[in-house]
Amino acid sequence: MKSFLACMLLALSLGAEAQKRPAMVFLTAGQSNTDRRVSNKDLPRRIREEGYRHCLWSYGSGHLAPGNGDFEPFRPRVAQPGDSQRWGYDAVLYYCIDQNAAEDFYVIKESVGGTALDTACRSTGGMYWNASPAFLSSTAAAGRGGRSLLKAFTEHIGACIDKRLSRLEEGYEIKALFWHQGESDQEAAGRYGENLKALVRHVRNYLVEKTGDRRYARLPVVCGTFARESQGRSEQIVEALEALSEEDADFHVVDAGDASLLPDRLHFDARGAELLGRRMFGKLKETGIIEERQSLRHSPAP
């Protein structure tokens, strides 16, 4: 009897602790492999059957689908007129987080295929992720008639904070930025490291200023690399990512060199996207960005 009562008290205590825990928030950004290019027909069967219980997201995609700060239950889709039913590595990543979660979590995503960091490179719609003060001061956010995807992203984040996150009774904590981009920057590969460093610094500074929370000056970044067979892979860019991880203890690189690709030799196929999504989730656990719960039903592949 005493043992039963002790278990009941422990369960009640854990339940109260879970209610007080701030809601997890994740940021996701990048180009086409982040934007999603795998047909929903090829989504892993387990994910199709079980779905997402806790994942809410707010999705922006340049001028096609500007982020407005509203959240909805997550379902894999992309802002591609007439061809929206597609998924990528992040759909698997959110599934793994969802399986590990006991309460709702939030995703703020901004992605556009074919977009570059460096303004000397070709980029879809003339939109760029560039974080230089000169570029940012010269244009408005994509979706507002401008060319800055970074402004679109931070304005999207701000709208999500103002309209929903700041009103959560339990509060919220932005846990990490997921990033996969670089194929469009091959012509400026030598500047990729500095360009990405500036973007990360800009996002971190924005969050500190927006929230007043100095912890976001060290917001973790989890970044995937490219398949070795990809025509968009640049060894110089991969080396720049590795150099950033050595310089910045909160910048984490996940290798996708052995990921498989669609016939275009650029975008991950279903197996490749699942591999990267599960490895990124593994990085979240390995680094302590999230805690693993005993209720996790499906462990990620190494």
mmCIF file of all heavy atoms in Angstrom, residues 1-47:
data_model
loop_
_atom_site.group_PDB
_atom_site.id
_atom_site.type_symbol
_atom_site.label_atom_id
_atom_site.label_comp_id
_atom_site.label_asym_id
_atom_site.label_seq_id
_atom_site.Cartn_x
_atom_site.Cartn_y
_atom_site.Cartn_z
ATOM 1 N N MET A 1 0.830 -1.200 0.000
ATOM 2 C CA MET A 1 0.000 0.000 0.000
ATOM 3 C C MET A 1 0.865 1.250 0.000
ATOM 4 O O MET A 1 0.626 2.206 -0.745
ATOM 5 C CB MET A 1 -0.926 -0.014 1.215
ATOM 6 C CG MET A 1 -1.908 1.146 1.237
ATOM 7 S SD MET A 1 -3.086 1.039 -0.121
ATOM 8 C CE MET A 1 -4.128 2.443 0.215
ATOM 9 N N LYS A 2 1.878 1.259 0.883
ATOM 10 C CA LYS A 2 2.781 2.407 0.939
ATOM 11 C C LYS A 2 3.486 2.600 -0.395
ATOM 12 O O LYS A 2 3.694 3.718 -0.865
ATOM 13 C CB LYS A 2 3.804 2.224 2.067
ATOM 14 C CG LYS A 2 3.213 2.353 3.457
ATOM 15 C CD LYS A 2 4.289 2.224 4.507
ATOM 16 C CE LYS A 2 3.721 2.375 5.902
ATOM 17 N NZ LYS A 2 4.771 2.242 6.932
ATOM 18 N N SER A 3 3.870 1.470 -1.004
ATOM 19 C CA SER A 3 4.554 1.544 -2.297
ATOM 20 C C SER A 3 3.635 2.141 -3.350
ATOM 21 O O SER A 3 4.050 2.962 -4.171
ATOM 22 C CB SER A 3 5.010 0.148 -2.721
ATOM 23 O OG SER A 3 5.575 0.179 -4.000
ATOM 24 N N PHE A 4 2.367 1.763 -3.321
ATOM 25 C CA PHE A 4 1.398 2.287 -4.284
ATOM 26 C C PHE A 4 1.219 3.794 -4.110
ATOM 27 O O PHE A 4 1.201 4.561 -5.076
ATOM 28 C CB PHE A 4 0.058 1.567 -4.106
ATOM 29 C CG PHE A 4 -1.050 2.143 -4.942
ATOM 30 C CD1 PHE A 4 -1.116 1.877 -6.302
ATOM 31 C CD2 PHE A 4 -2.021 2.965 -4.370
ATOM 32 C CE1 PHE A 4 -2.137 2.410 -7.079
ATOM 33 C CE2 PHE A 4 -3.029 3.506 -5.139
ATOM 34 C CZ PHE A 4 -3.094 3.216 -6.491
ATOM 35 N N LEU A 5 1.083 4.221 -2.843
ATOM 36 C CA LEU A 5 0.913 5.649 -2.569
ATOM 37 C C LEU A 5 2.132 6.450 -3.002
ATOM 38 O O LEU A 5 2.013 7.551 -3.546
ATOM 39 C CB LEU A 5 0.644 5.868 -1.075
ATOM 40 C CG LEU A 5 -0.727 5.410 -0.571
ATOM 41 C CD1 LEU A 5 -0.810 5.543 0.949
ATOM 42 C CD2 LEU A 5 -1.830 6.226 -1.235
ATOM 43 N N ALA A 6 3.315 5.863 -2.779
ATOM 44 C CA ALA A 6 4.546 6.553 -3.181
ATOM 45 C C ALA A 6 4.592 6.733 -4.689
ATOM 46 O O ALA A 6 4.987 7.786 -5.201
ATOM 47 C CB ALA A 6 5.762 5.764 -2.699
ATOM 48 N N CYS A 7 4.170 5.712 -5.420
ATOM 49 C CA CYS A 7 4.160 5.797 -6.885
ATOM 50 C C CYS A 7 3.168 6.847 -7.352
ATOM 51 O O CYS A 7 3.439 7.602 -8.301
ATOM 52 C CB CYS A 7 3.809 4.437 -7.483
ATOM 53 S SG CYS A 7 5.120 3.206 -7.311
ATOM 54 N N MET A 8 1.995 6.898 -6.680
ATOM 55 C CA MET A 8 0.985 7.890 -7.052
ATOM 56 C C MET A 8 1.498 9.304 -6.818
ATOM 57 O O MET A 8 1.321 10.200 -7.646
ATOM 58 C CB MET A 8 -0.292 7.654 -6.241
ATOM 59 C CG MET A 8 -1.068 6.426 -6.667
ATOM 60 S SD MET A 8 -1.732 6.589 -8.352
ATOM 61 C CE MET A 8 -2.912 7.900 -8.107
ATOM 62 N N LEU A 9 2.154 9.533 -5.674
ATOM 63 C CA LEU A 9 2.696 10.854 -5.365
ATOM 64 C C LEU A 9 3.772 11.247 -6.368
ATOM 65 O O LEU A 9 3.855 12.405 -6.795
ATOM 66 C CB LEU A 9 3.260 10.874 -3.943
ATOM 67 C CG LEU A 9 2.216 10.830 -2.822
ATOM 68 C CD1 LEU A 9 2.901 10.646 -1.465
ATOM 69 C CD2 LEU A 9 1.393 12.117 -2.820
ATOM 70 N N LEU A 10 4.614 10.269 -6.743
ATOM 71 C CA LEU A 10 5.663 10.546 -7.720
ATOM 72 C C LEU A 10 5.048 10.911 -9.064
ATOM 73 O O LEU A 10 5.493 11.859 -9.739
ATOM 74 C CB LEU A 10 6.567 9.326 -7.878
ATOM 75 C CG LEU A 10 7.692 9.435 -8.933
ATOM 76 C CD1 LEU A 10 8.608 10.601 -8.592
ATOM 77 C CD2 LEU A 10 8.466 8.142 -9.028
ATOM 78 N N ALA A 11 4.012 10.188 -9.468
ATOM 79 C CA ALA A 11 3.359 10.477 -10.746
ATOM 80 C C ALA A 11 2.733 11.860 -10.740
ATOM 81 O O ALA A 11 2.838 12.612 -11.717
ATOM 82 C CB ALA A 11 2.290 9.420 -11.036
ATOM 83 N N LEU A 12 2.084 12.224 -9.630
ATOM 84 C CA LEU A 12 1.493 13.561 -9.524
ATOM 85 C C LEU A 12 2.554 14.643 -9.567
ATOM 86 O O LEU A 12 2.387 15.695 -10.180
ATOM 87 C CB LEU A 12 0.678 13.671 -8.236
ATOM 88 C CG LEU A 12 -0.623 12.856 -8.201
ATOM 89 C CD1 LEU A 12 -1.227 12.888 -6.807
ATOM 90 C CD2 LEU A 12 -1.614 13.399 -9.227
ATOM 91 N N SER A 13 3.687 14.364 -8.896
ATOM 92 C CA SER A 13 4.787 15.328 -8.878
ATOM 93 C C SER A 13 5.357 15.528 -10.268
ATOM 94 O O SER A 13 5.610 16.660 -10.698
ATOM 95 C CB SER A 13 5.876 14.848 -7.918
ATOM 96 O OG SER A 13 7.008 15.687 -7.992
ATOM 97 N N LEU A 14 5.550 14.432 -10.996
ATOM 98 C CA LEU A 14 6.084 14.522 -12.355
ATOM 99 C C LEU A 14 5.107 15.234 -13.277
ATOM 100 O O LEU A 14 5.505 16.006 -14.153
ATOM 101 C CB LEU A 14 6.393 13.121 -12.895
ATOM 102 C CG LEU A 14 7.574 12.400 -12.245
ATOM 103 C CD1 LEU A 14 7.672 10.974 -12.765
ATOM 104 C CD2 LEU A 14 8.878 13.151 -12.476
ATOM 105 N N GLY A 15 3.805 14.988 -13.062
ATOM 106 C CA GLY A 15 2.809 15.660 -13.877
ATOM 107 C C GLY A 15 2.813 17.162 -13.647
ATOM 108 O O GLY A 15 2.729 17.952 -14.587
ATOM 109 N N ALA A 16 2.945 17.583 -12.384
ATOM 110 C CA ALA A 16 3.000 19.012 -12.074
ATOM 111 C C ALA A 16 4.241 19.648 -12.664
ATOM 112 O O ALA A 16 4.205 20.762 -13.191
ATOM 113 C CB ALA A 16 2.975 19.214 -10.557
ATOM 114 N N GLU A 17 5.360 18.925 -12.616
ATOM 115 C CA GLU A 17 6.609 19.445 -13.173
ATOM 116 C C GLU A 17 6.491 19.637 -14.676
ATOM 117 O O GLU A 17 6.953 20.638 -15.237
ATOM 118 C CB GLU A 17 7.750 18.482 -12.863
ATOM 119 C CG GLU A 17 9.095 18.943 -13.392
ATOM 120 C CD GLU A 17 10.207 17.956 -13.114
ATOM 121 O OE1 GLU A 17 9.974 17.004 -12.356
ATOM 122 O OE2 GLU A 17 11.313 18.139 -13.659
ATOM 123 N N ALA A 18 5.824 18.659 -15.350
ATOM 124 C CA ALA A 18 5.658 18.760 -16.802
ATOM 125 C C ALA A 18 4.817 19.978 -17.160
ATOM 126 O O ALA A 18 5.065 20.642 -18.166
ATOM 127 C CB ALA A 18 5.012 17.482 -17.338
ATOM 128 N N GLN A 19 3.789 20.278 -16.332
ATOM 129 C CA GLN A 19 2.933 21.421 -16.623
ATOM 130 C C GLN A 19 3.694 22.732 -16.522
ATOM 131 O O GLN A 19 3.381 23.690 -17.216
ATOM 132 C CB GLN A 19 1.740 21.417 -15.671
ATOM 133 C CG GLN A 19 0.747 20.294 -15.957
ATOM 134 C CD GLN A 19 -0.402 20.300 -14.968
ATOM 135 O OE1 GLN A 19 -0.410 21.082 -14.019
ATOM 136 N NE2 GLN A 19 -1.363 19.418 -15.171
ATOM 137 N N LYS A 20 4.696 22.786 -15.657
ATOM 138 C CA LYS A 20 5.460 24.011 -15.457
ATOM 139 C C LYS A 20 6.567 24.176 -16.493
ATOM 140 O O LYS A 20 7.126 25.250 -16.634
ATOM 141 C CB LYS A 20 6.083 24.011 -14.053
ATOM 142 C CG LYS A 20 5.064 24.027 -12.917
ATOM 143 C CD LYS A 20 5.768 23.948 -11.568
ATOM 144 C CE LYS A 20 4.773 23.883 -10.430
ATOM 145 N NZ LYS A 20 5.450 23.733 -9.113
ATOM 146 N N ARG A 21 6.891 23.106 -17.194
ATOM 147 C CA ARG A 21 8.005 23.146 -18.127
ATOM 148 C C ARG A 21 7.665 24.048 -19.315
ATOM 149 O O ARG A 21 6.616 23.910 -19.934
ATOM 150 C CB ARG A 21 8.310 21.737 -18.605
ATOM 151 C CG ARG A 21 9.543 21.622 -19.484
ATOM 152 C CD ARG A 21 9.748 20.181 -19.877
ATOM 153 N NE ARG A 21 9.964 19.350 -18.716
ATOM 154 C CZ ARG A 21 9.585 18.076 -18.619
ATOM 155 N NH1 ARG A 21 8.946 17.510 -19.623
ATOM 156 N NH2 ARG A 21 9.823 17.382 -17.532
ATOM 157 N N PRO A 22 8.553 24.975 -19.676
ATOM 158 C CA PRO A 22 8.268 25.840 -20.831
ATOM 159 C C PRO A 22 8.119 25.020 -22.105
ATOM 160 O O PRO A 22 8.780 23.997 -22.296
ATOM 161 C CB PRO A 22 9.516 26.742 -20.904
ATOM 162 C CG PRO A 22 10.118 26.691 -19.546
ATOM 163 C CD PRO A 22 9.828 25.321 -19.024
ATOM 164 N N ALA A 23 7.259 25.467 -22.991
ATOM 165 C CA ALA A 23 7.068 24.796 -24.267
ATOM 166 C C ALA A 23 8.333 24.913 -25.108
ATOM 167 O O ALA A 23 8.960 25.977 -25.167
ATOM 168 C CB ALA A 23 5.893 25.410 -25.014
ATOM 169 N N MET A 24 8.703 23.826 -25.761
ATOM 170 C CA MET A 24 9.869 23.839 -26.636
ATOM 171 C C MET A 24 9.513 24.500 -27.965
ATOM 172 O O MET A 24 8.436 24.266 -28.523
ATOM 173 C CB MET A 24 10.368 22.419 -26.897
ATOM 174 C CG MET A 24 10.870 21.688 -25.683
ATOM 175 S SD MET A 24 11.653 20.099 -26.120
ATOM 176 C CE MET A 24 10.261 19.236 -26.898
ATOM 177 N N VAL A 25 10.455 25.300 -28.465
ATOM 178 C CA VAL A 25 10.302 25.944 -29.761
ATOM 179 C C VAL A 25 11.551 25.666 -30.591
ATOM 180 O O VAL A 25 12.670 25.754 -30.071
ATOM 181 C CB VAL A 25 10.105 27.466 -29.622
ATOM 182 C CG1 VAL A 25 9.928 28.118 -30.997
ATOM 183 C CG2 VAL A 25 8.908 27.777 -28.727
ATOM 184 N N PHE A 26 11.376 25.332 -31.851
ATOM 185 C CA PHE A 26 12.492 25.084 -32.755
ATOM 186 C C PHE A 26 12.350 25.974 -33.988
ATOM 187 O O PHE A 26 11.244 26.193 -34.485
ATOM 188 C CB PHE A 26 12.532 23.614 -33.180
ATOM 189 C CG PHE A 26 12.707 22.660 -32.035
ATOM 190 C CD1 PHE A 26 11.604 22.084 -31.417
ATOM 191 C CD2 PHE A 26 13.969 22.363 -31.556
ATOM 192 C CE1 PHE A 26 11.756 21.217 -30.353
ATOM 193 C CE2 PHE A 26 14.138 21.493 -30.486
ATOM 194 C CZ PHE A 26 13.028 20.916 -29.879
ATOM 195 N N LEU A 27 13.485 26.466 -34.469
ATOM 196 C CA LEU A 27 13.536 27.273 -35.678
ATOM 197 C C LEU A 27 14.139 26.435 -36.795
ATOM 198 O O LEU A 27 15.120 25.722 -36.571
ATOM 199 C CB LEU A 27 14.391 28.523 -35.456
ATOM 200 C CG LEU A 27 14.096 29.352 -34.202
ATOM 201 C CD1 LEU A 27 15.067 30.526 -34.107
ATOM 202 C CD2 LEU A 27 12.657 29.835 -34.191
ATOM 203 N N THR A 28 13.590 26.529 -37.995
ATOM 204 C CA THR A 28 14.091 25.762 -39.139
ATOM 205 C C THR A 28 14.218 26.683 -40.345
ATOM 206 O O THR A 28 13.291 27.448 -40.635
ATOM 207 C CB THR A 28 13.134 24.609 -39.490
ATOM 208 O OG1 THR A 28 12.934 23.780 -38.336
ATOM 209 C CG2 THR A 28 13.698 23.755 -40.616
ATOM 210 N N ALA A 29 15.355 26.621 -41.036
ATOM 211 C CA ALA A 29 15.549 27.489 -42.200
ATOM 212 C C ALA A 29 16.505 26.839 -43.190
ATOM 213 O O ALA A 29 17.333 25.999 -42.832
ATOM 214 C CB ALA A 29 16.088 28.859 -41.765
ATOM 215 N N GLY A 30 16.394 27.263 -44.459
ATOM 216 C CA GLY A 30 17.315 26.770 -45.470
ATOM 217 C C GLY A 30 16.710 26.813 -46.862
ATOM 218 O O GLY A 30 15.720 27.492 -47.105
ATOM 219 N N GLN A 31 17.349 26.046 -47.779
ATOM 220 C CA GLN A 31 16.869 26.021 -49.148
ATOM 221 C C GLN A 31 16.198 24.696 -49.459
ATOM 222 O O GLN A 31 15.501 24.153 -48.597
ATOM 223 C CB GLN A 31 17.985 26.392 -50.129
ATOM 224 C CG GLN A 31 19.210 25.502 -50.150
ATOM 225 C CD GLN A 31 20.209 25.958 -51.204
ATOM 226 O OE1 GLN A 31 21.279 26.443 -50.882
ATOM 227 N NE2 GLN A 31 19.884 25.785 -52.486
ATOM 228 N N SER A 32 16.342 24.153 -50.670
ATOM 229 C CA SER A 32 15.409 23.136 -51.149
ATOM 230 C C SER A 32 15.322 21.860 -50.323
ATOM 231 O O SER A 32 14.235 21.305 -50.155
ATOM 232 C CB SER A 32 15.712 22.773 -52.606
ATOM 233 O OG SER A 32 17.039 22.343 -52.757
ATOM 234 N N ASN A 33 16.431 21.351 -49.800
ATOM 235 C CA ASN A 33 16.334 20.133 -49.003
ATOM 236 C C ASN A 33 15.643 20.386 -47.671
ATOM 237 O O ASN A 33 15.092 19.453 -47.071
ATOM 238 C CB ASN A 33 17.717 19.513 -48.795
ATOM 239 C CG ASN A 33 18.088 18.580 -49.932
ATOM 240 O OD1 ASN A 33 17.318 17.711 -50.305
ATOM 241 N ND2 ASN A 33 19.278 18.777 -50.509
ATOM 242 N N THR A 34 15.656 21.627 -47.215
ATOM 243 C CA THR A 34 14.850 22.010 -46.063
ATOM 244 C C THR A 34 13.420 22.275 -46.496
ATOM 245 O O THR A 34 12.461 21.959 -45.784
ATOM 246 C CB THR A 34 15.435 23.268 -45.387
ATOM 247 O OG1 THR A 34 16.742 22.970 -44.865
ATOM 248 C CG2 THR A 34 14.554 23.752 -44.246
ATOM 249 N N ASP A 35 13.272 22.860 -47.685
ATOM 250 C CA ASP A 35 11.952 23.223 -48.205
ATOM 251 C C ASP A 35 11.098 21.989 -48.495
ATOM 252 O O ASP A 35 9.880 22.070 -48.487
ATOM 253 C CB ASP A 35 12.126 24.054 -49.480
ATOM 254 C CG ASP A 35 10.944 24.938 -49.773
ATOM 255 O OD1 ASP A 35 10.379 25.511 -48.827
ATOM 256 O OD2 ASP A 35 10.583 25.074 -50.949
ATOM 257 N N ARG A 36 11.731 20.865 -48.764
ATOM 258 C CA ARG A 36 11.090 19.559 -48.998
ATOM 259 C C ARG A 36 10.914 19.257 -50.480
ATOM 260 O O ARG A 36 10.358 20.063 -51.212
ATOM 261 C CB ARG A 36 9.724 19.438 -48.302
ATOM 262 C CG ARG A 36 9.770 19.710 -46.816
ATOM 263 C CD ARG A 36 8.511 19.221 -46.149
ATOM 264 N NE ARG A 36 8.619 19.429 -44.724
ATOM 265 C CZ ARG A 36 7.973 20.395 -44.062
ATOM 266 N NH1 ARG A 36 7.183 21.207 -44.713
ATOM 267 N NH2 ARG A 36 8.120 20.518 -42.775
ATOM 268 N N ARG A 37 11.392 18.055 -50.869
ATOM 269 C CA ARG A 37 11.276 17.649 -52.268
ATOM 270 C C ARG A 37 10.874 16.178 -52.437
ATOM 271 O O ARG A 37 10.859 15.679 -53.553
ATOM 272 C CB ARG A 37 12.613 17.905 -52.985
ATOM 273 C CG ARG A 37 12.963 19.385 -53.120
ATOM 274 C CD ARG A 37 11.977 20.116 -53.992
ATOM 275 N NE ARG A 37 12.312 21.532 -54.196
ATOM 276 C CZ ARG A 37 11.834 22.528 -53.476
ATOM 277 N NH1 ARG A 37 10.991 22.284 -52.481
ATOM 278 N NH2 ARG A 37 12.175 23.781 -53.729
ATOM 279 N N VAL A 38 10.541 15.466 -51.348
ATOM 280 C CA VAL A 38 10.150 14.054 -51.446
ATOM 281 C C VAL A 38 8.632 13.948 -51.379
ATOM 282 O O VAL A 38 7.996 14.568 -50.526
ATOM 283 C CB VAL A 38 10.774 13.219 -50.306
ATOM 284 C CG1 VAL A 38 10.475 11.728 -50.520
ATOM 285 C CG2 VAL A 38 12.278 13.446 -50.216
ATOM 286 N N SER A 39 8.039 13.172 -52.274
ATOM 287 C CA SER A 39 6.587 13.021 -52.308
ATOM 288 C C SER A 39 6.064 12.453 -50.993
ATOM 289 O O SER A 39 6.654 11.535 -50.409
ATOM 290 C CB SER A 39 6.177 12.093 -53.453
ATOM 291 O OG SER A 39 4.798 11.775 -53.365
ATOM 292 N N ASN A 40 4.919 12.970 -50.536
ATOM 293 C CA ASN A 40 4.304 12.450 -49.319
ATOM 294 C C ASN A 40 3.940 10.976 -49.438
ATOM 295 O O ASN A 40 3.771 10.284 -48.432
ATOM 296 C CB ASN A 40 3.057 13.261 -48.961
ATOM 297 C CG ASN A 40 3.402 14.563 -48.246
ATOM 298 O OD1 ASN A 40 4.568 14.885 -48.034
ATOM 299 N ND2 ASN A 40 2.375 15.319 -47.894
ATOM 300 N N LYS A 41 3.818 10.468 -50.662
ATOM 301 C CA LYS A 41 3.551 9.043 -50.852
ATOM 302 C C LYS A 41 4.701 8.192 -50.314
ATOM 303 O O LYS A 41 4.505 7.011 -49.996
ATOM 304 C CB LYS A 41 3.337 8.747 -52.341
ATOM 305 C CG LYS A 41 2.117 9.423 -52.940
ATOM 306 C CD LYS A 41 2.013 9.135 -54.432
ATOM 307 C CE LYS A 41 0.826 9.856 -55.055
ATOM 308 N NZ LYS A 41 0.742 9.625 -56.525
ATOM 309 N N ASP A 42 5.896 8.809 -50.231
ATOM 310 C CA ASP A 42 7.075 8.078 -49.770
ATOM 311 C C ASP A 42 7.429 8.372 -48.315
ATOM 312 O O ASP A 42 8.503 7.989 -47.847
ATOM 313 C CB ASP A 42 8.280 8.418 -50.656
ATOM 314 C CG ASP A 42 8.070 7.976 -52.094
ATOM 315 O OD1 ASP A 42 7.498 6.894 -52.294
ATOM 316 O OD2 ASP A 42 8.464 8.727 -53.010
ATOM 317 N N LEU A 43 6.541 9.052 -47.594
ATOM 318 C CA LEU A 43 6.756 9.259 -46.172
ATOM 319 C C LEU A 43 6.777 7.903 -45.485
ATOM 320 O O LEU A 43 5.957 7.031 -45.799
ATOM 321 C CB LEU A 43 5.626 10.116 -45.604
ATOM 322 C CG LEU A 43 5.815 10.693 -44.194
ATOM 323 C CD1 LEU A 43 6.940 11.721 -44.176
ATOM 324 C CD2 LEU A 43 4.515 11.335 -43.706
ATOM 325 N N PRO A 44 7.731 7.649 -44.573
ATOM 326 C CA PRO A 44 7.784 6.337 -43.921
ATOM 327 C C PRO A 44 6.423 5.913 -43.363
ATOM 328 O O PRO A 44 5.697 6.714 -42.773
ATOM 329 C CB PRO A 44 8.807 6.560 -42.792
ATOM 330 C CG PRO A 44 9.728 7.599 -43.354
ATOM 331 C CD PRO A 44 8.826 8.527 -44.134
ATOM 332 N N ARG A 45 6.108 4.663 -43.565
ATOM 333 C CA ARG A 45 4.786 4.152 -43.204
ATOM 334 C C ARG A 45 4.458 4.401 -41.741
ATOM 335 O O ARG A 45 3.316 4.767 -41.408
ATOM 336 C CB ARG A 45 4.735 2.639 -43.503
ATOM 337 C CG ARG A 45 3.422 1.983 -43.136
ATOM 338 C CD ARG A 45 3.447 0.511 -43.476
ATOM 339 N NE ARG A 45 2.226 -0.153 -43.033
ATOM 340 C CZ ARG A 45 2.008 -1.456 -43.170
ATOM 341 N NH1 ARG A 45 2.929 -2.219 -43.748
ATOM 342 N NH2 ARG A 45 0.882 -1.976 -42.736
ATOM 343 N N ARG A 46 5.417 4.213 -40.867
ATOM 344 C CA ARG A 46 5.186 4.408 -39.432
ATOM 345 C C ARG A 46 4.727 5.827 -39.140
ATOM 346 O O ARG A 46 3.841 6.072 -38.327
ATOM 347 C CB ARG A 46 6.464 4.092 -38.651
ATOM 348 C CG ARG A 46 6.295 4.143 -37.141
ATOM 349 C CD ARG A 46 7.509 3.566 -36.457
ATOM 350 N NE ARG A 46 8.701 4.345 -36.707
ATOM 351 C CZ ARG A 46 9.803 3.860 -37.281
ATOM 352 N NH1 ARG A 46 9.841 2.621 -37.712
ATOM 353 N NH2 ARG A 46 10.860 4.622 -37.450
ATOM 354 N N ILE A 47 5.339 6.809 -39.842
ATOM 355 C CA ILE A 47 4.968 8.204 -39.619
ATOM 356 C C ILE A 47 3.574 8.473 -40.184
ATOM 357 O O ILE A 47 2.763 9.169 -39.570
ATOM 358 C CB ILE A 47 6.007 9.150 -40.244
ATOM 359 C CG1 ILE A 47 7.391 8.904 -39.611
ATOM 360 C CG2 ILE A 47 5.587 10.598 -40.079
ATOM 361 C CD1 ILE A 47 8.487 9.784 -40.173
#
